[in-house]
Amino acid sequence: MPEGEIGCASNPAFGREVFFHPKGYTDESYVGIPLNKAAVDGLKLSRLTPNVTYSVKEGVVLNETVQIGMISN
């Protein structure tokens, strides 16, 4: 997507973690914005916090990620 990248990680304890990395913040030194509960739980367990300048507004509709099965609505 033009605004950045959506990435996933598989966590045996929480399931599929989905994150948004804004354009310019996509290398491994950045922790993206969690887009689902598994990602939030994984960050808490790892004691990490997002360090990118963007955030996802509450209530935003993420149609592309829902359509390809990355997150559920």
Side-chain angles (χ1 to χ4, degrees):
M1 63 190 328
E3 296 84 10
E5 296 179 6
I6 294 176
C8 314
S10 181
N11 184 316
F14 305 118
R16 191 175 343 188
E17 299 176 4
V18 184
F19 296 91
F20 174 70
H21 296 269
K23 190 174 186 176
Y25 294 89
T26 56
D27 69 49
E28 292 181 7
S29 66
Y30 294 105
V31 178
I33 303 297
L35 296 180
N36 65 354
K37 184 170 179 357
V40 171
D41 293 343
L43 288 179
K44 285 180 185 177
L45 182 67
S46 301
R47 296 187 178 133
L48 294 172
T49 56
N51 61 355
V52 297
T53 60
Y54 292 76
S55 63
V56 177
K57 293 181 181 180
E58 189 173 330
V60 70
V61 177
L62 299 167
N63 288 331
E64 285 183 33
T65 56
V66 172
Q67 287 173 1
I68 62 174
M70 291 177 71
I71 61 174
S72 60
N73 52 1

